[in-house]
Amino acid sequence: MRIAVKIVFLIIILSSVLAQAQTQIRLPNLSDSLFSTYYQQRVSHFKLLPATKNDIVFIGNSITDGAEWSELFADINIKNRGISGDISAGVLHRIGDIGKQKPKKVFLLIGVNDLAKGISTDSIVKNILLVASWIKQESPSSKLFIQSILPVSDRFKKFEGHTNKTDSILKVNSKLNSFASGYGYTFINLFPFFINQQGKLNEKFTNDGLHLLGEGYLLWKHIVFPYVYDLQAKPSLIPLPQQLTWNNGFFPLYKCHSIMVTDNALMKEAEKLKAIFTEKGLQTSISNKAGKDETDIELRLNAQVPGMTDEGYAMNVSENKILLTAKTTHGIFNGIQTLRQLMRDGAMIDACDITDHPTFSWRGYMIDVGRNYMSMKFLKEQIDVMAMYKMNVFHFHATEDIAWRLASKQYPQLTAPENMLRNKGMYYTETEIKELITFCKERYITFVPEIDMPGHSAAFKRAMKTDMQSDSGMLMVKNILKEFCATYDVPFIHIGADEVKITSKNFVPEMTACIESLGRKVIGWQPGGNFTGSTIRQLWMDDNAHHASGNEVQYIDSRHLYLNHMDPLEAVTTIFNRRIADKEKGDATTLGGTICMWPDRAVGKEEDVLQMNPVYPGVLAFAERCWRGGGRSGWVANIDDGDKKQFIDFEGRLLENKKIYFNDKIFNYVKQSDIVWKLYGPYDNGGDLAKQFLPETKKGDKANSKFYKEVTGGTIVLRHWWAPLIKGAIENPKDSTTWYATTSIWADEDGVKNFWIGFNNISRSPATDSPPLDGWDTKNSAVWVNGKLIASPVWLRGGQKGNSEIPLNDEGYEYRSPTKIYLRKGWNDVLIKAPIGSFKGKDWQNPVKWMFTFVEIN
């Protein structure tokens, strides 16, 4: 047998050398008879299993074979291709079958059995590098991760041929690490995580010095988890805590026997944390005392913590304990949301210290259900997302010209179907509103109802047959307010009072006095009505009155925070860079901000509100900014004009949260910070938008092409439709000019890829016209890939005049089928043509959006 093994390795080494000397990598031709019967049994089994896509394959010997990988990760796409006793030659012999399946990822750990058979470290490394080269050649889109050989221990007096090879193991690991970049794989060094103080396999992970116990596999899972799912090395926390220090070691969630609380006020929070454990498939109990030598989590109220705010918390995670401390139950709740994100893999938490608090006290999200009704289930989903990211105000815009959706015992005609223009008969009962208020309170979210007055009140007028500002109308409104305040336990009433001609100067002051007499505070939109000094103003457009008010009036900022106007990629850029209320942090007058969702236009189904608008990516960007404070002065539309380094970091955390927490939700955002464009222009087109210029007529010849600058992003705003308030990529844009943009994109292999492409991201509010039948937009914009013109979509309603009652269908790239483009292996050239005629739209519902989007999506 020893002779046969040596012959095998002689053949492998020779094949490896010859293969690397040739252009085409070839695997050695070995006989099945050279391998064990168990090896043959496993290989024959693997060959007959059904072929599936997007597999993540773990290959190796008995150490890999011993894991229930799909159960460990709760992922059926993770496949075990370990074979007990396998060697690097065995992997070479069967890698062809695995490669044919084009797996998404391959995790390889092999070599300790080779060492036990006397095979040299160089031979093992050459075999593994041949595997890497072959995968790169035959399945270039497959990502290869080569894991270090694990440590061994001779303490158990077993597997003596294996457990005396520590020096050789370290040599192999070092060489595999050094070759990673050149051979196109990622090296994962497992070794240091599994050793004891003597540098041997830690006894808590093994009972024979070579193979792993269950705890060892959970540690293995924790280490490779970010590689399996393309995550960052440490959990991507949103909002990022004010102070965060990562320490050495891990808290084992599977050993957490209890959640300890000594204050009954924290029982509800303990139950919430226990429910998170259950979601992760973990069992724990709630106790009022710590067990001896137990690994546990303690929730503790401490009003004496220096500098701690009511919503702040402190957390220490060590190897055997997690201590979460706060002044209030709200602070504990916020800490639990951070703890949920730290628990991302359900196995272990990285040791750390966190001290955290919000910089703004008001962190809100507004949804307009007056124009488009939303089900209770759909609203609760959005509220749950708010809570997870520590937002604390749910602004409920429930009355509009379209419909009045708040039940009234005194005036039931308000919600009669005949008085609604959309979703007729759909409104919220007293029971449902109370249910929403309770649902919010359980998550430390303040429910803020808006009853719009005296504007946006056509539904009231249809139902009551009078205008709100009439004497009879004012009496009815007061009665509605009294009924509402007597029925619902809410601290604020939002009265709107914007976009209306005030015909009765007493209306707003009288309604304000009425609400305040009922023990509620009043909020109104600014610019808006003739408010009293006690009214909290919610800014909806640029208004400098808040700068001149001294310390008398409180404000909430919602300027340029309307998600329905934003391109999805621009939304995250601009919101992340915002400086809320023009201040670094909140104070007595600057409360914070509210991000708003106004789906003015009719929607076909409620899910379209999330599909057609960047709600969840926008909410997460806003949660980060409102919690942490800071940001840039002015309004940023493009990545390069903001804090690019911080944006790249946030984008990574955003995409990780999308992958882990939104895989069953609509989250229309993709990575864009790695796309760099070269802008060329301006070219004077004299009003002829079809006119061709050098970048278009001599593709690839950039001489005399008027290079302007480089810009970054999937969406590039050349001139913002709200210019000059918001800066675009072009400093001094001129009408009747044409610009071009070029970039290159890489493809691992030939094939069709999906892209978001757009040139006019239609706002979901006004009655904007549909794109023309024969083009991307009315500006004659175009895109080529490798010299081939990419056809615009066959629009469902091409050329249709805008109509607010006709739901959008395919007008935006984020809610139509992606454009499919064939890419060749290697670099592919992209050319964008972006002409402009006049900056003035034909009417206010059709603003000129001079922009383009081009980004690959999965």
Side-chain angles (χ1 to χ4, degrees), residues 555-570:
Y555 288 92
I556 303 161
D557 196 2
S558 290
R559 297 167 302 164
H560 194 49
L561 290 172
Y562 286 12
L563 293 167
N564 44 291
H565 288 320
M566 295 182 182
D567 170 279
L569 300 177
E570 178 224 353

Side-chain angles (χ1 to χ4, degrees), residues 675-680 695-696 699-700 702 713-714 739-747 753 755-759 776 782-790 821-824 826-833 852-856:
I675 305 172
V676 179
W677 299 90
K678 293 182 183 295
L679 287 183
Y680 297 88
E696 181 180 350
K699 301 179 183 66
K702 299 300 185 295
W739 288 73
Y740 293 88
T742 65
T743 193
S744 295
I745 52 178
W746 176 265
K753 302 292 184 181
F755 287 85
W756 276 348
I757 303 177
F759 294 91
W776 289 99
V783 55
W784 294 264
V785 176
N786 295 326
K788 180 180 179 180
L789 182 67
I790 305 303
I821 301 176
Y822 179 84
L823 299 184
R824 64 195 181 202
W827 289 104
N828 295 260
D829 296 324
V830 181
L831 174 66
I832 298 286
K833 180 180 182 179
F852 67 84
T853 297
F854 185 94
V855 62
E856 184 179 350

Side-chain angles (χ1 to χ4, degrees), residues 763-782:
S763 171
R764 280 67 64 190
S765 286
T768 306
D769 297 346
S770 294
L773 281 169
D774 57 351
W776 289 99
D777 61 4
T778 57
K779 300 189 295 293
N780 212 51
S781 299

